[in-house]
Amino acid sequence: MATRKITFLTDVSLITCIVQRGLGDVIVKAARDAGAQGATINFGRGTGVRERLGALGVTVEVDKEVVNIVVAAEQVDTVFNNIYLAGELDTPGMGFMYVTPLEKAATYIPQEVVKRLQQSQQ
Amino acid sequence: MAHLHIHTPDIAELGEAPKLITCVIPDEGNKDLELLRSLRSGGDIITATSYQSRWVGSLSGGLMGDGKQRKGRRAPQAKAVRVISVVVAGEFANDVFQSLYDQAEIDRPEGGIMYMGPLGIATLFTLPEGVTDEPG
């Protein structure tokens, strides 16, 4: 079987953000506002911080949304900061976020985009 | 200053550091199960799972975004997707990535995205003898 040619994207990172259920769309909007293309959103359940927040813990939703966003390395800081501010992650119990470096990513890239990228790299 | 010593058992003879491959594909029936079967029969992976998720955005045409600000625009409708997560030994990672890319038909409009990154450490997932294949 002949294998098809893959156009890889390198210098990419994965931003993972865990927030209370219902806030995933806020995170995605903030990421898109900063230039990210899209995101996956999964449901999850969290534990840990609620117990530490005492009476305030009851206001922290136990159901979570886990948002994964792939972004170019050069966009990571912008997207990360935008999400941080939009998700109010500086407020205790609001959520948590981290960046994982990726080796490569692949998707459908229209030929005209590939040509444009090749020309810009020459 | 106290030092914490943690005994780490010899958990893997994985050769090169393991990798995590993540593949997001449109929700098209049992395609994720077909891919899992194919990965299992290939024998080069450590473990693979599939789960449902939703995707907001375009599933192709500039995964990395164009860097343009989109403030004020409404987010597109969310799509149902299946996410396949594969742990594979480093020496097989590129081959498995290529194979999954071909079989999942990522290279088509709205075909999905996939990415691969390093894992620090992973356990082997060895099944006992005599486990029959799951139906379906």
Side-chain angles (χ1 to χ4, degrees), chain B residues 61-85:
Chain B
L63 159 68
M64 310 322 309
D66 48 17
K68 290 178 184 168
Q69 303 288 308
R70 295 184 180 80
K71 283 181 182 167
R73 287 194 199 174
R74 288 180 60 189
Q77 193 77 23
K79 301 179 182 82
V81 291
R82 303 281 176 114
V83 182
I84 298 164
S85 186

PDB file of all heavy atoms in Angstrom, chain B residues 61-85:
ATOM      1  N   GLY B  61      -7.670  22.850   7.772  1.00  0.00           N
ATOM      2  CA  GLY B  61      -7.396  24.155   7.194  1.00  0.00           C
ATOM      3  C   GLY B  61      -6.762  25.132   8.150  1.00  0.00           C
ATOM      4  O   GLY B  61      -7.267  26.210   8.414  1.00  0.00           O
ATOM      5  N   GLY B  62      -5.629  24.749   8.696  1.00  0.00           N
ATOM      6  CA  GLY B  62      -4.943  25.682   9.573  1.00  0.00           C
ATOM      7  C   GLY B  62      -5.151  25.336  11.017  1.00  0.00           C
ATOM      8  O   GLY B  62      -5.697  26.121  11.792  1.00  0.00           O
ATOM      9  N   LEU B  63      -4.732  24.141  11.361  1.00  0.00           N
ATOM     10  CA  LEU B  63      -4.823  23.680  12.740  1.00  0.00           C
ATOM     11  C   LEU B  63      -4.218  24.686  13.704  1.00  0.00           C
ATOM     12  O   LEU B  63      -4.712  24.899  14.805  1.00  0.00           O
ATOM     13  CB  LEU B  63      -4.073  22.350  12.834  1.00  0.00           C
ATOM     14  CG  LEU B  63      -3.593  21.883  14.186  1.00  0.00           C
ATOM     15  CD1 LEU B  63      -4.775  21.540  15.044  1.00  0.00           C
ATOM     16  CD2 LEU B  63      -2.697  20.689  14.024  1.00  0.00           C
ATOM     17  N   MET B  64      -3.141  25.292  13.284  1.00  0.00           N
ATOM     18  CA  MET B  64      -2.422  26.155  14.205  1.00  0.00           C
ATOM     19  C   MET B  64      -3.046  27.535  14.314  1.00  0.00           C
ATOM     20  O   MET B  64      -2.576  28.362  15.060  1.00  0.00           O
ATOM     21  CB  MET B  64      -0.977  26.327  13.743  1.00  0.00           C
ATOM     22  CG  MET B  64      -0.265  25.041  13.434  1.00  0.00           C
ATOM     23  SD  MET B  64      -0.682  23.721  14.565  1.00  0.00           S
ATOM     24  CE  MET B  64      -0.419  24.519  16.098  1.00  0.00           C
ATOM     25  N   GLY B  65      -4.077  27.767  13.556  1.00  0.00           N
ATOM     26  CA  GLY B  65      -4.664  29.090  13.595  1.00  0.00           C
ATOM     27  C   GLY B  65      -3.888  30.032  12.711  1.00  0.00           C
ATOM     28  O   GLY B  65      -2.802  29.716  12.237  1.00  0.00           O
ATOM     29  N   ASP B  66      -4.472  31.153  12.463  1.00  0.00           N
ATOM     30  CA  ASP B  66      -3.822  32.115  11.587  1.00  0.00           C
ATOM     31  C   ASP B  66      -3.297  33.319  12.352  1.00  0.00           C
ATOM     32  O   ASP B  66      -2.814  34.268  11.772  1.00  0.00           O
ATOM     33  CB  ASP B  66      -4.819  32.585  10.508  1.00  0.00           C
ATOM     34  CG  ASP B  66      -6.150  32.984  11.109  1.00  0.00           C
ATOM     35  OD1 ASP B  66      -6.188  33.209  12.349  1.00  0.00           O
ATOM     36  OD2 ASP B  66      -7.132  33.072  10.369  1.00  0.00           O
ATOM     37  N   GLY B  67      -3.413  33.269  13.675  1.00  0.00           N
ATOM     38  CA  GLY B  67      -2.910  34.367  14.480  1.00  0.00           C
ATOM     39  C   GLY B  67      -3.791  35.593  14.445  1.00  0.00           C
ATOM     40  O   GLY B  67      -3.503  36.599  15.072  1.00  0.00           O
ATOM     41  N   LYS B  68      -4.909  35.520  13.694  1.00  0.00           N
ATOM     42  CA  LYS B  68      -5.775  36.691  13.602  1.00  0.00           C
ATOM     43  C   LYS B  68      -6.711  36.758  14.806  1.00  0.00           C
ATOM     44  O   LYS B  68      -7.171  35.735  15.294  1.00  0.00           O
ATOM     45  CB  LYS B  68      -6.610  36.624  12.319  1.00  0.00           C
ATOM     46  CG  LYS B  68      -5.791  36.818  11.059  1.00  0.00           C
ATOM     47  CD  LYS B  68      -6.676  36.680   9.846  1.00  0.00           C
ATOM     48  CE  LYS B  68      -5.846  36.782   8.569  1.00  0.00           C
ATOM     49  NZ  LYS B  68      -6.576  36.375   7.383  1.00  0.00           N
ATOM     50  N   GLN B  69      -6.968  37.952  15.225  1.00  0.00           N
ATOM     51  CA  GLN B  69      -7.905  38.144  16.330  1.00  0.00           C
ATOM     52  C   GLN B  69      -9.330  37.936  15.827  1.00  0.00           C
ATOM     53  O   GLN B  69      -9.667  38.342  14.723  1.00  0.00           O
ATOM     54  CB  GLN B  69      -7.773  39.562  16.891  1.00  0.00           C
ATOM     55  CG  GLN B  69      -6.374  39.895  17.362  1.00  0.00           C
ATOM     56  CD  GLN B  69      -5.999  39.185  18.654  1.00  0.00           C
ATOM     57  OE1 GLN B  69      -6.739  39.255  19.613  1.00  0.00           O
ATOM     58  NE2 GLN B  69      -4.877  38.495  18.642  1.00  0.00           N
ATOM     59  N   ARG B  70     -10.135  37.271  16.625  1.00  0.00           N
ATOM     60  CA  ARG B  70     -11.509  37.005  16.198  1.00  0.00           C
ATOM     61  C   ARG B  70     -12.498  37.569  17.217  1.00  0.00           C
ATOM     62  O   ARG B  70     -13.569  37.020  17.405  1.00  0.00           O
ATOM     63  CB  ARG B  70     -11.737  35.506  16.057  1.00  0.00           C
ATOM     64  CG  ARG B  70     -10.929  34.867  14.976  1.00  0.00           C
ATOM     65  CD  ARG B  70     -11.301  33.408  14.856  1.00  0.00           C
ATOM     66  NE  ARG B  70     -10.539  32.757  13.823  1.00  0.00           N
ATOM     67  CZ  ARG B  70      -9.298  32.327  13.987  1.00  0.00           C
ATOM     68  NH1 ARG B  70      -8.698  32.492  15.130  1.00  0.00           N
ATOM     69  NH2 ARG B  70      -8.658  31.739  12.994  1.00  0.00           N
ATOM     70  N   LYS B  71     -12.134  38.575  17.903  1.00  0.00           N
ATOM     71  CA  LYS B  71     -12.994  39.086  18.962  1.00  0.00           C
ATOM     72  C   LYS B  71     -14.363  39.472  18.417  1.00  0.00           C
ATOM     73  O   LYS B  71     -14.471  40.091  17.363  1.00  0.00           O
ATOM     74  CB  LYS B  71     -12.334  40.283  19.641  1.00  0.00           C
ATOM     75  CG  LYS B  71     -11.251  39.829  20.597  1.00  0.00           C
ATOM     76  CD  LYS B  71     -10.588  40.966  21.304  1.00  0.00           C
ATOM     77  CE  LYS B  71      -9.494  40.422  22.200  1.00  0.00           C
ATOM     78  NZ  LYS B  71      -8.609  41.439  22.700  1.00  0.00           N
ATOM     79  N   GLY B  72     -15.368  39.106  19.151  1.00  0.00           N
ATOM     80  CA  GLY B  72     -16.714  39.493  18.759  1.00  0.00           C
ATOM     81  C   GLY B  72     -17.407  38.476  17.882  1.00  0.00           C
ATOM     82  O   GLY B  72     -18.613  38.458  17.790  1.00  0.00           O
ATOM     83  N   ARG B  73     -16.618  37.576  17.252  1.00  0.00           N
ATOM     84  CA  ARG B  73     -17.244  36.576  16.387  1.00  0.00           C
ATOM     85  C   ARG B  73     -17.788  35.436  17.234  1.00  0.00           C
ATOM     86  O   ARG B  73     -17.180  35.032  18.213  1.00  0.00           O
ATOM     87  CB  ARG B  73     -16.231  36.004  15.404  1.00  0.00           C
ATOM     88  CG  ARG B  73     -15.854  36.975  14.317  1.00  0.00           C
ATOM     89  CD  ARG B  73     -15.135  36.206  13.240  1.00  0.00           C
ATOM     90  NE  ARG B  73     -14.379  37.095  12.400  1.00  0.00           N
ATOM     91  CZ  ARG B  73     -13.556  36.666  11.454  1.00  0.00           C
ATOM     92  NH1 ARG B  73     -13.375  35.400  11.247  1.00  0.00           N
ATOM     93  NH2 ARG B  73     -12.899  37.520  10.715  1.00  0.00           N
ATOM     94  N   ARG B  74     -18.885  34.918  16.804  1.00  0.00           N
ATOM     95  CA  ARG B  74     -19.457  33.772  17.521  1.00  0.00           C
ATOM     96  C   ARG B  74     -18.652  32.522  17.208  1.00  0.00           C
ATOM     97  O   ARG B  74     -18.217  32.320  16.084  1.00  0.00           O
ATOM     98  CB  ARG B  74     -20.910  33.558  17.113  1.00  0.00           C
ATOM     99  CG  ARG B  74     -21.833  34.627  17.667  1.00  0.00           C
ATOM    100  CD  ARG B  74     -23.247  34.377  17.246  1.00  0.00           C
ATOM    101  NE  ARG B  74     -23.736  33.102  17.718  1.00  0.00           N
ATOM    102  CZ  ARG B  74     -24.899  32.589  17.330  1.00  0.00           C
ATOM    103  NH1 ARG B  74     -25.657  33.239  16.478  1.00  0.00           N
ATOM    104  NH2 ARG B  74     -25.300  31.432  17.801  1.00  0.00           N
ATOM    105  N   ALA B  75     -18.503  31.683  18.219  1.00  0.00           N
ATOM    106  CA  ALA B  75     -17.796  30.420  17.993  1.00  0.00           C
ATOM    107  C   ALA B  75     -18.659  29.520  17.125  1.00  0.00           C
ATOM    108  O   ALA B  75     -19.883  29.550  17.225  1.00  0.00           O
ATOM    109  CB  ALA B  75     -17.511  29.744  19.323  1.00  0.00           C
ATOM    110  N   PRO B  76     -18.041  28.737  16.238  1.00  0.00           N
ATOM    111  CA  PRO B  76     -18.835  27.833  15.417  1.00  0.00           C
ATOM    112  C   PRO B  76     -19.495  26.754  16.274  1.00  0.00           C
ATOM    113  O   PRO B  76     -19.105  26.527  17.415  1.00  0.00           O
ATOM    114  CB  PRO B  76     -17.793  27.223  14.474  1.00  0.00           C
ATOM    115  CG  PRO B  76     -16.487  27.430  15.134  1.00  0.00           C
ATOM    116  CD  PRO B  76     -16.609  28.637  15.989  1.00  0.00           C
ATOM    117  N   GLN B  77     -20.476  26.113  15.654  1.00  0.00           N
ATOM    118  CA  GLN B  77     -21.197  25.035  16.328  1.00  0.00           C
ATOM    119  C   GLN B  77     -20.231  23.903  16.699  1.00  0.00           C
ATOM    120  O   GLN B  77     -19.358  23.561  15.912  1.00  0.00           O
ATOM    121  CB  GLN B  77     -22.267  24.499  15.368  1.00  0.00           C
ATOM    122  CG  GLN B  77     -23.283  23.601  16.004  1.00  0.00           C
ATOM    123  CD  GLN B  77     -24.320  24.373  16.804  1.00  0.00           C
ATOM    124  OE1 GLN B  77     -24.546  25.542  16.561  1.00  0.00           O
ATOM    125  NE2 GLN B  77     -24.911  23.715  17.762  1.00  0.00           N
ATOM    126  N   ALA B  78     -20.400  23.354  17.887  1.00  0.00           N
ATOM    127  CA  ALA B  78     -19.533  22.245  18.295  1.00  0.00           C
ATOM    128  C   ALA B  78     -19.870  20.995  17.491  1.00  0.00           C
ATOM    129  O   ALA B  78     -21.028  20.777  17.118  1.00  0.00           O
ATOM    130  CB  ALA B  78     -19.699  21.970  19.775  1.00  0.00           C
ATOM    131  N   LYS B  79     -18.847  20.179  17.191  1.00  0.00           N
ATOM    132  CA  LYS B  79     -19.042  18.928  16.459  1.00  0.00           C
ATOM    133  C   LYS B  79     -18.685  17.762  17.382  1.00  0.00           C
ATOM    134  O   LYS B  79     -17.776  17.880  18.205  1.00  0.00           O
ATOM    135  CB  LYS B  79     -18.099  18.850  15.253  1.00  0.00           C
ATOM    136  CG  LYS B  79     -18.239  19.953  14.237  1.00  0.00           C
ATOM    137  CD  LYS B  79     -17.200  19.729  13.135  1.00  0.00           C
ATOM    138  CE  LYS B  79     -17.236  20.826  12.101  1.00  0.00           C
ATOM    139  NZ  LYS B  79     -16.509  22.024  12.494  1.00  0.00           N
ATOM    140  N   ALA B  80     -19.384  16.648  17.188  1.00  0.00           N
ATOM    141  CA  ALA B  80     -19.014  15.436  17.924  1.00  0.00           C
ATOM    142  C   ALA B  80     -17.780  14.827  17.283  1.00  0.00           C
ATOM    143  O   ALA B  80     -17.709  14.725  16.054  1.00  0.00           O
ATOM    144  CB  ALA B  80     -20.160  14.445  17.898  1.00  0.00           C
ATOM    145  N   VAL B  81     -16.820  14.465  18.091  1.00  0.00           N
ATOM    146  CA  VAL B  81     -15.610  13.831  17.575  1.00  0.00           C
ATOM    147  C   VAL B  81     -15.255  12.631  18.455  1.00  0.00           C
ATOM    148  O   VAL B  81     -15.772  12.480  19.558  1.00  0.00           O
ATOM    149  CB  VAL B  81     -14.406  14.809  17.543  1.00  0.00           C
ATOM    150  CG1 VAL B  81     -14.594  15.886  16.505  1.00  0.00           C
ATOM    151  CG2 VAL B  81     -14.145  15.411  18.907  1.00  0.00           C
ATOM    152  N   ARG B  82     -14.415  11.781  17.922  1.00  0.00           N
ATOM    153  CA  ARG B  82     -13.832  10.692  18.706  1.00  0.00           C
ATOM    154  C   ARG B  82     -12.344  10.981  18.842  1.00  0.00           C
ATOM    155  O   ARG B  82     -11.701  11.368  17.857  1.00  0.00           O
ATOM    156  CB  ARG B  82     -14.019   9.345  18.014  1.00  0.00           C
ATOM    157  CG  ARG B  82     -15.458   8.984  17.716  1.00  0.00           C
ATOM    158  CD  ARG B  82     -16.174   8.474  18.936  1.00  0.00           C
ATOM    159  NE  ARG B  82     -17.571   8.224  18.651  1.00  0.00           N
ATOM    160  CZ  ARG B  82     -18.128   7.019  18.663  1.00  0.00           C
ATOM    161  NH1 ARG B  82     -17.396   5.956  18.934  1.00  0.00           N
ATOM    162  NH2 ARG B  82     -19.406   6.876  18.414  1.00  0.00           N
ATOM    163  N   VAL B  83     -11.838  10.780  20.039  1.00  0.00           N
ATOM    164  CA  VAL B  83     -10.420  11.015  20.289  1.00  0.00           C
ATOM    165  C   VAL B  83      -9.757   9.672  20.572  1.00  0.00           C
ATOM    166  O   VAL B  83     -10.198   8.930  21.452  1.00  0.00           O
ATOM    167  CB  VAL B  83     -10.215  11.962  21.488  1.00  0.00           C
ATOM    168  CG1 VAL B  83      -8.728  12.222  21.702  1.00  0.00           C
ATOM    169  CG2 VAL B  83     -10.958  13.266  21.273  1.00  0.00           C
ATOM    170  N   ILE B  84      -8.746   9.345  19.793  1.00  0.00           N
ATOM    171  CA  ILE B  84      -8.007   8.100  19.988  1.00  0.00           C
ATOM    172  C   ILE B  84      -6.655   8.449  20.594  1.00  0.00           C
ATOM    173  O   ILE B  84      -5.930   9.292  20.071  1.00  0.00           O
ATOM    174  CB  ILE B  84      -7.816   7.359  18.658  1.00  0.00           C
ATOM    175  CG1 ILE B  84      -9.186   6.997  18.095  1.00  0.00           C
ATOM    176  CG2 ILE B  84      -6.980   6.093  18.844  1.00  0.00           C
ATOM    177  CD1 ILE B  84      -9.154   6.608  16.652  1.00  0.00           C
ATOM    178  N   SER B  85      -6.379   7.807  21.703  1.00  0.00           N
ATOM    179  CA  SER B  85      -5.173   8.107  22.448  1.00  0.00           C
ATOM    180  C   SER B  85      -4.294   6.851  22.453  1.00  0.00           C
ATOM    181  O   SER B  85      -4.731   5.799  22.911  1.00  0.00           O
ATOM    182  CB  SER B  85      -5.600   8.500  23.860  1.00  0.00           C
ATOM    183  OG  SER B  85      -4.527   8.932  24.595  1.00  0.00           O
TER     184      SER B  85
END
